[in-house]
Amino acid sequence: MKLELELELRLLDPDAWGALLSHPLLDLHALSPVPMDAVYFDTADGALNSAGIAYRVRREGERWIANVQGVGTSAGGLHQRPEWTVVVKEDKPSPQVFAGTEAGAMLFAAVGENILLPLLETHFQRFERELRWEDGSGILIAADRGEIRAGDARAPILELGLKLLHGHPGALLELGSILARDLPLLPDPQSRIHRGLALAGLIADNQGGPSLACPLRHRDVAGDALVRLLVTQCQRALGDLSRHLAEPMDAACFHDLRKDVRALRSFLRLAEPLDPQKHLGPWRQKLALWFHAQGPRRDRDVLAIRWAEVCAMLGEQSSLLQSYLAGGAARGTDTETPFLGSLLLGLWAALSRHGLAGDVGLQKFTEHRCARWDAAIQRARKKEDDPAALHALRIRVKNLRYALAALAPLWPSQDSKALLKTLTTLQDILGEIHDTDAAAATLHDTIVSRKSRLAYEAGILIGWLHAGRARHIWEFRKTWERFLAAPRPWG
């Protein structure tokens, strides 16, 4: 048995296959591919799948190899699982070849007296070689092109696997980050067997996502705990990036991705004192650039929602402005978004390599940081007719809100829910005010448009938003008083 650690990357553009093989770090184009054909087996009632076990027999060149994969972990495209392999004579299932091993015990316990049946097949060509990374780590590179077959259903295989043979796990992430920067590659959180089961209709396509909880305890060392929190947030963002790219015009998926990146930036700012060598600073700056580049798309999505509310009140079924905002969202889809995966992998690699310094306790460190942020928020409140000041206040509120939501388990005896609820409300109200203040700039082209109807509708929307600003300011004042009065769990 060996414990496999592999980063799996999906090629988003089939036309980039040649570029992938020719990439100087991979250098696969001159190799002869090895044909591989595999059959995956399970019982009629899916006993192996229910137990988290994958059993296949695969032809690799001139030989057949039986393989069992046990229960492992999968997050952000990095898969870790125990694996057993045995050379066999044919492609028929024969669990007996694993007798006397842990794999055999798992198979017999799950299968019992039931018959193993072919579940799905994979047919692909593999380009494979070993790479020695700059730190001496050994990585097995495997580029696969082919298809998954489940009955009459087909799904393409266009994947690059990076398996750690020996050395530091950060080597996989660093190589993956560089490749995802240069090529349309995305970390794939779903295993091939998962994709096959979804293709066969045996599981939901979105089933099987990893649990990304990050338990925190007040006795934890701050550096170690915040590394876990940051890695978990990177993995969460990679998962939502995959969902966003599957549905690029879905505003909810896009919003979830932006929230992930915003929370990640907040956690990085929280941990900044524990990074004296500034290893993480460049990654935070790159994430900020990506985040701000998505602002116009986010603003149009919000205005589309607000205009739909106005249309509902006016009894309008369709309008030029609706089409304009929808078209603007399509035009504004950032072509760099797929390569956000490169940034997230790079940050993950930096966390893996360098960690965070210091041995201060988590509770002491975070209480000090949250108290400072709290005081900065109270100092930041300025005139309510200053949009820039209110926007800066909103950013400070966001930082504390995201940190408090993640750190709430540290104060089980002192409830942080009241403060968190107030911060959430405060952020929402400040967001409404910001949307109003930014509406004229977002809709500038419609205001000066030669299409009088479009300019008319834009004017209605801007007027409706500004009419509500006074109410939002009143709500802000009331919520601000609740914020000041809310108990602080850090005492």
XYZ file of all heavy atoms in Angstrom, residues 265 268 280-290 292:
126
model
N -8.831 37.422 1.342
C -8.039 38.640 1.528
C -8.144 39.146 2.969
O -7.147 39.626 3.528
C -8.491 39.712 0.548
C -8.181 39.387 -0.918
C -8.819 40.402 -1.846
N -8.360 41.748 -1.534
C -9.118 42.831 -1.686
N -10.360 42.731 -2.128
N -8.622 44.017 -1.399
N -5.919 36.973 5.107
C -4.515 37.312 4.893
C -4.132 38.583 5.645
O -3.031 38.678 6.208
C -4.245 37.483 3.393
C -4.145 36.201 2.573
C -4.182 36.511 1.086
C -2.874 35.430 2.920
N 3.568 36.226 1.852
C 2.191 36.174 1.365
C 1.723 37.492 0.755
O 0.696 37.522 0.082
C 1.255 35.780 2.515
C 1.617 34.481 3.255
C 0.578 34.184 4.327
C 1.732 33.315 2.285
N 2.470 38.572 1.000
C 2.049 39.883 0.500
C 1.790 39.941 -0.988
O 0.751 40.462 -1.425
N 2.696 39.428 -1.834
C 2.457 39.495 -3.283
C 1.187 38.775 -3.716
O 0.493 39.222 -4.631
C 3.706 38.827 -3.873
C 4.761 38.999 -2.832
C 4.038 38.907 -1.525
N 0.867 37.669 -3.042
C -0.339 36.932 -3.417
C -1.583 37.715 -3.022
O -2.586 37.716 -3.752
C -0.329 35.548 -2.773
C 0.832 34.729 -3.228
C 1.958 34.413 -2.516
C 1.022 34.172 -4.531
N 2.822 33.687 -3.290
C 2.278 33.522 -4.525
C 0.262 34.147 -5.698
C 2.777 32.858 -5.643
C 0.755 33.484 -6.808
C 1.988 32.847 -6.781
N -1.528 38.397 -1.870
C -2.677 39.221 -1.468
C -2.896 40.352 -2.464
O -4.037 40.678 -2.815
C -2.443 39.767 -0.059
C -3.611 40.606 0.460
C -3.554 40.753 1.971
N -2.366 41.443 2.425
C -2.265 42.765 2.532
N -3.281 43.535 2.194
N -1.158 43.312 2.984
N -1.807 40.945 -2.948
C -1.930 42.027 -3.922
C -2.513 41.524 -5.247
O -3.360 42.186 -5.864
C -0.565 42.664 -4.145
C -0.025 43.403 -2.919
C 1.432 43.801 -3.073
O 2.034 43.614 -4.137
N 2.013 44.331 -2.011
N -2.065 40.347 -5.683
C -2.594 39.785 -6.935
C -4.077 39.459 -6.809
O -4.858 39.675 -7.747
C -1.803 38.537 -7.317
C -0.372 38.818 -7.727
C 0.404 37.523 -7.954
C 1.864 37.780 -8.264
N 2.632 36.524 -8.446
N -4.480 38.917 -5.664
C -5.902 38.637 -5.451
C -6.713 39.921 -5.435
O -7.850 39.952 -5.928
C -6.083 37.877 -4.130
C -5.599 36.425 -4.120
C -5.629 35.864 -2.707
C -6.436 35.551 -5.050
N -6.139 40.995 -4.860
C -6.840 42.276 -4.841
C -7.045 42.805 -6.260
O -8.121 43.329 -6.598
C -6.064 43.292 -4.003
N -6.025 42.670 -7.114
C -6.156 43.115 -8.501
C -7.255 42.339 -9.214
O -8.068 42.922 -9.955
C -4.815 42.945 -9.232
C -3.696 43.908 -8.828
C -2.391 43.518 -9.516
C -4.076 45.342 -9.187
N -7.279 41.010 -9.016
C -8.335 40.220 -9.646
C -9.703 40.657 -9.128
O -10.648 40.840 -9.909
C -8.136 38.726 -9.358
C -9.239 37.897 -9.950
C -9.284 37.377 -11.200
C -10.483 37.554 -9.331
N -10.473 36.721 -11.402
C -11.232 36.818 -10.270
C -11.040 37.801 -8.078
C -12.499 36.320 -9.992
C -12.303 37.306 -7.804
C -13.018 36.579 -8.743
N -10.785 43.490 -7.804
C -11.240 44.806 -8.266
C -11.567 44.792 -9.761
O -12.432 45.558 -10.215
C -10.197 45.863 -7.949
C -10.036 46.110 -6.469
N -11.103 46.447 -5.656
C -8.950 46.049 -5.663
C -10.678 46.590 -4.413
N -9.387 46.353 -4.379
